[in-house]
Amino acid sequence: SIADGAKAFNEALQRLCLPPNMNEAVVLEGLSKNALLGEKKRVKAELKRYDQVFMQKKRRGPTRAEKEPMRPLYTFYRKLKTQLTKIERGGGTTPRSGRSSKRPPPTAEGNDSDGDDGPEDKAEAEKQAKLAALLREKGQLRTKLQKYQDQFVKDNNRRIRFQRDIVPIDREYKQYKKVKDAISKLTGQ
């Protein structure tokens, strides 16, 4: 049913630590190839999981209409694949400068073809790891804030309007703002 699909979608978002509006909120530009590959693998696993659970319950694969609740996740998966293709074809951008990457592709061992893993490469890898961690934390906090807001509306029959309304989750809200600021600084936006 549609409700089952929506529930499965929300559970997948929680496991992936992604916000519901991931296609607008998550910035893929500037992530390393390894970070993109890891995220693509995780998203693909969630899409496969949905199909497997569906197959166990219904003894058949889901139809296109039954996959509709998962569409945003499919769209996000396509965005990941597109960004990876850009990087592999040399059309990606370097997060520091915003210009096209002219570096040779990594060798099979994962190192650059010249074998140089200088301080700049290590700093860039650390930056990418920090960005990925911040994006995950942002997703987790966003989910927590959204749950609180939904429950608040249910309990009070109105939206959050006053500072006192967010007192129970004020720490998470402040942390969410800090994380967003840190992401902006890292991505230069």
Side-chain angles (χ1 to χ4, degrees):
S1 77
I2 293 173
D4 290 339
K7 182 180 176 193
F9 174 69
N10 288 327
E11 290 170 354
L13 289 181
Q14 286 180 343
R15 282 189 295 272
L16 292 168
C17 301
L18 289 171
N21 61 341
M22 76 203 104
N23 289 307
E24 294 87 34
V26 177
V27 178
L28 299 178
E29 288 77 19
L31 288 179
S32 70
K33 182 178 178 182
N34 286 339
L36 289 167
L37 284 169
E39 195 65 17
K40 178 183 164 230
K41 185 177 180 180
R42 291 179 37 196
V43 171
K44 186 174 184 177
E46 285 299 326
L47 293 169
K48 280 186 171 183
R49 177 187 211 147
Y50 176 76
D51 287 351
Q52 290 169 345
V53 169
F54 190 95
M55 189 80 123
Q56 287 173 348
K57 288 182 179 179
K58 307 274 185 171
R59 304 279 187 236
R60 63 178 174 80
T63 64
R64 186 178 181 131
E66 290 164 331
K67 287 185 177 190
E68 192 61 29
M70 301 297 279
R71 178 183 292 274
L73 208 51
Y74 278 100
T75 303
F76 187 63
Y77 180 76
R78 279 194 305 277
K79 281 179 69 174
L80 288 164
K81 285 179 65 171
T82 300
Q83 188 64 24
L84 276 164
T85 302
K86 283 182 189 176
I87 289 173
E88 288 167 354
R89 291 185 180 163
T93 58
T94 57
R96 288 182 304 282
S97 64
R99 55 180 207 272
S100 290
S101 174
K102 301 292 184 203
R103 298 183 66 175
T107 60
E109 293 82 36
N111 295 328
D112 290 343
S113 55
D114 62 359
D116 182 24
D117 272 348
E120 189 176 292
D121 291 336
K122 288 178 182 165
E124 186 60 30
E126 287 173 13
K127 180 180 174 182
Q128 294 302 323
K130 184 173 183 171
L131 182 59
L134 285 169
L135 288 169
R136 277 192 297 277
E137 183 179 1
K138 179 185 172 197
Q140 290 170 336
L141 288 166
R142 178 76 182 104
T143 300
K144 196 179 280 188
L145 292 169
Q146 187 65 48
K147 280 183 180 178
Y148 176 79
Q149 181 176 329
D150 294 345
Q151 190 62 44
F152 184 89
V153 170
K154 191 187 250 185
D155 294 345
N156 298 288
N157 295 321
R158 67 175 177 87
R159 297 185 71 182
I160 294 171
R161 289 190 302 224
F162 307 108
Q163 180 67 32
R164 68 175 182 258
D165 294 342
I166 64 166
V167 167
I169 201 157
D170 189 50
R171 187 171 14 134
E172 288 86 351
Y173 179 69
K174 286 178 181 172
Q175 181 63 22
Y176 179 75
K177 288 189 347 185
K178 278 185 190 176
V179 169
K180 278 182 64 173
D181 289 344
I183 290 169
S184 293
K185 286 177 185 171
L186 273 177
T187 59
Q189 294 178 351

